[in-house]
Amino acid sequence: MRPIFPALLVLLAPTLARAAPVTPPVASPPLGRDAPTLYAEWCASCHGEHLDGGKGPRLTDAARWHAFDDATLARVIRDGSRTGEMPAFGGALNAAEIEALVVFLRESAARRREAVPQDNQPLPTGPLRSEEHAFTVEWVAEGFDVPWSMAFLPDGRMLVTERGGRLRIVENGMLRPETIGGLPPVVVKDEAGLLSVAVDPDYARNGWIYLAYCDPGARPETAMTKIVRARLRDGELVDREAIFSIPRDQYPKGYALFGCRLVFDGDYLFFGIGVRGSEAAVTRDAQDLAKTTGKIHRVFRDGRVPPDNPFVHAPGAAGSIWALGVRNPQGLARNPRDGALWESEHGPRGGDELNRIERGQNYGWPFVTRGINYDGTPISDKTDAPGLVSPAVNWTPSIAPSELEFYTGDRFPRWKGNLFMGTLATQKLLRFVIDGGRVVHTEEIFHHLGRVRDIKTGPDGYLYVALELIGRPGRIVRLKPAE
Ligand code: HEC
């Protein structure tokens, strides 16, 4: 076995302002049997093979379902029902297996409820209503190979990354046919490709454009998130500088879980790096301060490590680490009101999260999670633990969250300061009202217009949304008030 992660030693080190008394459940897999098998073996006889009910009630009934939170469901399974008609399974199943069954039940119920979603719906022709504003969805540009990220230049032009490896420009509402040259070599495979683009807050003075992408490693089939900045001159990127990278011979294998969004805060640049795989060994790197994966990072805009970062004095730690224990950060945004950093991440199966990221804190992956492994087996028997920060919002089953954006425009006055989040699997645009560091209200703005990859407040005050369409080129739309 590996030593109990260096991260723990560091968490307990006196250099930390807040010493976190972490006693993680050290997972010695397998924690239990997989949920679909358990269901078939122990539950299907009464609740039906497809959860449609029999001797016991139907378990896909939306009206009933909402009455139960996860803890109550787990208790019903463990202790049985008060009437005694539902037997107690606390003897036959361990805590982790019961947690896994809860995830399985939620997933199955949601799948039934949503039937088969209608992906790639045509844009609505008339106005849509929402709680605060009526709006139209207006076509801006089309023909992108997975439009992953958008950024506006001060002259109103929009830069768009295509995950397929190209950087494009939308000018006066037109996608320019030529692509920007001078990009570094990008690995394009599975989730790997050209990811985020961001424009320096002082662009008018310094001309810097930042890119996050998947860089090929020294060994075969390895890759890693890398961040560079460069200047745009005559359609080419020039003066390229590395802002974040690790040695090429240390790149992990595979093409999944890279992160990576870019957020500026004064002189600082924040970004998140995913755990780079689902196997237990790499996923645990999220707790290892010597590894940059599974972390939120903070550097100066030129890539230097700020001397007051939380782990700069921890032996062997990567100094750029700002927070740890995240799985695959797909969204990152700074609340302009209070400066708080918010992150969205993909869980495994279930356990997608929205987190409020604080300096030096541990977000728990993979010690605590509300998700299960893709094969249905449990990951952890804990959903909370002392010293580990719980998510502000958890989604089980998975919705696959993507980018976050605090709306800062004037066109939708009652949305100002709200947090917007896109989702991939459920193709939704969500709006959150944040108060006192918590999500106090959630609204679905639209669904099934495509996989929502990015959201940005435009210089014109409209809300821009990048949509990946399944099986055909993606598009960018903007929301305009219909009042
Ligand atoms: C012997 C039959 C039987 C078996 C086996 C059984 N249940 Fe139940 N279950 C019931 C009955 C009956 C109820 C309704 C109890 C009541 O209302 O008092 C129930 C209620 C429930 C509820 C509450 C749902 C609701 O709408 O009230 C859940 C959740 C549940 N069962 C899950 C499970 C799971 C998971 C398993 C397998 C581990 C399982 N049950 C196995 C008979 C069974």
Side-chain angles (χ1 to χ4, degrees):
M1 237 193 77
R2 286 154 54 102
I4 305 278
F5 323 104
L8 286 181
L9 302 178
V10 170
L11 278 173
L12 300 170
T15 48
L16 247 190
R18 170 134 50 124
V22 186
T23 44
V26 179
S28 48
L31 275 177
R33 296 155 288 177
D34 74 275
T37 307
L38 289 175
Y39 180 85
E41 195 174 322
W42 300 94
C43 323
S45 58
C46 289
H47 290 286
E49 189 189 344
H50 301 292
L51 297 85
D52 284 329
K55 192 162 177 276
R58 187 192 174 88
L59 294 178
T60 52
D61 192 328
R64 267 182 97 115
W65 202 250
H66 279 297
F68 295 95
D69 60 17
D70 288 356
T72 311
L73 279 176
R75 206 184 53 234
V76 171
I77 300 171
R78 190 185 63 227
D79 302 336
S81 69
R82 279 202 197 89
T83 61
E85 288 176 84
M86 157 87 180
F89 287 93
L93 310 173
N94 68 34
E97 289 172 334
I98 291 174
E99 290 295 339
L101 269 172
V102 169
V103 175
F104 172 80
L105 293 182
R106 290 244 184 253
E107 270 184 354
S108 312
R111 211 174 297 132
R112 273 314 176 80
R113 258 201 318 275
E114 304 214 340
V116 179
Q118 294 289 301
D119 295 332
N120 297 355
Q121 290 291 304
L123 296 185
T125 47
L128 299 178
R129 313 239 143 253
S130 75
E131 289 170 7
E132 300 293 350
H133 291 283
F135 61 92
T136 54
V137 182
E138 188 184 84
W139 185 93
V140 176
E142 198 158 58
F144 300 94
D145 171 5
V146 186
W148 213 87
S149 168
M150 308 174 279
F152 289 93
L153 292 167
D155 62 12
R157 287 183 300 167
M158 179 170 44
L159 296 168
V160 183
T161 56
E162 293 178 291
R163 197 180 57 191
R166 296 184 298 185
L167 182 60
R168 312 292 299 269
I169 289 189
V170 176
E171 189 172 9
N172 299 324
M174 237 197 56
L175 174 61
R176 299 206 54 91
E178 73 278 7
T179 64
I180 292 174
L183 260 69
V186 176
V187 184
V188 178
K189 194 168 195 276
D190 303 341
E191 292 174 21
L194 181 57
L195 305 177
S196 236
V197 58
V199 171
D200 195 286
D202 292 327
Y203 181 84
R205 206 171 45 78
N206 62 30
W208 288 121
I209 291 167
Y210 297 70
L211 289 174
Y213 66 98
C214 303
D215 188 46
R219 288 171 296 129
E221 288 173 32
T222 60
M224 182 60 183
T225 322
K226 181 168 177 173
I227 300 170
V228 296
R229 68 178 181 184
R231 295 190 172 96
L232 184 58
R233 196 170 301 142
D234 304 327
E236 294 273 323
L237 290 180
V238 297
D239 305 337
R240 196 167 75 219
E241 293 179 353
I243 298 299
F244 169 82
S245 62
I246 65 170
R248 274 221 163 94
D249 56 358
Q250 292 173 19
Y251 284 15
K253 274 212 166 229
Y255 305 104
L257 313 185
F258 290 94
C260 169
R261 298 287 182 174
L262 304 168
V263 167
F264 294 104
D265 181 2
D267 286 337
Y268 304 112
L269 171 68
F270 286 95
F271 57 94
I273 305 282
V275 286
R276 300 297 339 285
S278 301
E279 311 76 48
V282 288
T283 212
R284 278 194 305 241
D285 288 345
Q287 294 293 330
D288 183 348
L289 287 177
K291 298 274 167 59
T292 54
T293 50
K295 311 293 183 322
I296 303 296
H297 298 263
R298 184 182 80 154
V299 296
F300 285 123
R301 282 188 263 162
D302 62 5
R304 280 176 304 123
V305 169
D308 59 343
N309 265 8
F311 302 109
V312 277
H313 301 299
S320 57
I321 295 172
W322 182 253
L324 64 152
V326 299
R327 185 174 177 276
N328 190 20
Q330 288 290 294
L332 201 60
R334 180 181 173 274
N335 189 343
R337 220 163 261 176
D338 59 6
L341 193 65
W342 289 77
E343 176 249 15
S344 67
E345 68 179 72
H346 289 182
R349 184 166 154 185
D352 288 348
E353 297 181 357
L354 178 67
N355 288 303
R356 188 165 176 273
I357 299 292
E358 290 189 69
R359 178 185 193 279
Q361 291 297 313
N362 186 340
Y363 291 81
W365 176 260
F367 294 158
V368 295
T369 173
R370 288 170 173 77
I372 54 178
N373 282 314
Y374 291 109
D375 62 5
T377 55
I379 292 167
S380 166
D381 56 354
K382 300 253 190 320
T383 53
D384 304 282
L388 304 180
V389 185
S390 295
V393 184
N394 166 78
W395 288 273
T396 300
S398 292
I399 57 171
S402 59
E403 179 64 316
L404 298 167
E405 166 79 348
F406 282 93
Y407 175 71
T408 53
D410 293 321
R411 304 277 188 176
F412 294 103
R414 291 185 297 283
W415 284 356
K416 209 168 175 139
N418 289 169
L419 178 62
F420 287 79
M421 187 182 90
T423 76
L424 305 174
T426 55
Q427 303 204 348
K428 284 176 182 171
L429 180 67
L430 301 176
R431 179 179 73 96
F432 304 110
V433 181
I434 309 263
D435 191 17
R438 294 186 319 119
V439 173
V440 295
H441 182 64
T442 303
E443 184 195 6
E444 183 183 312
I445 298 294
F446 65 61
H447 61 85
H448 290 129
L449 299 181
R451 288 155 66 84
V452 176
R453 279 287 174 183
D454 196 13
I455 311 163
K456 288 286 173 301
T457 309
D460 51 16
Y462 301 132
L463 192 64
Y464 284 72
V465 181
L467 299 170
E468 168 190 354
L469 302 185
I470 294 169
R472 56 192 167 94
R475 59 166 65 123
I476 290 173
V477 298
R478 62 181 174 187
L479 273 50
K480 279 178 132 173
E483 290 97 339

